[in-house]
Amino acid sequence: AFVVTAGQIATLRNRPDFLKAAQARRAGTTGFLLQARRRQPDELAEAPIRIGFTCSKKLGNAVTRNRAKRRLRALARAILPSHATPGWDYVLVGRPQETVSRDFKALQDDLIKAIARIHAPREQR
């Protein structure tokens, strides 16, 4: 896998970017849903990996949603530099109960498997 330095991971902040990722590839896991898309060549500025996080009110109150987002951010920092592909946008969507309560090591394994599924050739999906 391509190794990325911390400076090459950017955060998605615009709604259109989240919507484009939602219409592209997805891989569901127990702890979260991973949505991903390859950016168009005109959007590639030095091809950073871009990551977004979303937790709806289905997860619970603000405290629970913030805890879920913190866990997803820590997960992304731990896994994406060594497993993600430059030039792609990834969105981690929290799941009710699971994102907050699931063991962190299990979440890491989920993310590694989800990234592998997203980047697998079409016939293997």
Side-chain angles (χ1 to χ4, degrees), residues 7 13 60 95 120-121:
R13 299 195 188 281
R95 288 228 161 124

Side-chain angles (χ1 to χ4, degrees), residues 17-78:
D17 291 330
F18 280 90
L19 294 177
K20 286 178 191 171
Q23 293 170 353
R25 299 178 183 181
R26 55 182 47 158
T29 67
T30 306
F32 55 86
L33 171 69
L34 176 67
Q35 301 170 335
R37 77 172 187 110
R38 175 182 283 141
R39 292 195 301 284
Q40 299 302 318
D42 60 318
E43 298 176 280
L44 297 176
E46 296 296 307
I49 293 167
R50 297 194 313 181
I51 180 79
F53 308 93
T54 183
C55 292
S56 72
K57 288 192 175 183
K58 290 179 195 170
L59 262 80
N61 62 15
V63 174
T64 305
R65 291 194 306 273
N66 286 333
R67 179 177 296 144
K69 278 192 271 193
R70 277 196 309 274
R71 295 192 82 201
L72 291 175
R73 280 194 296 268
L75 183 63
R77 275 194 306 270

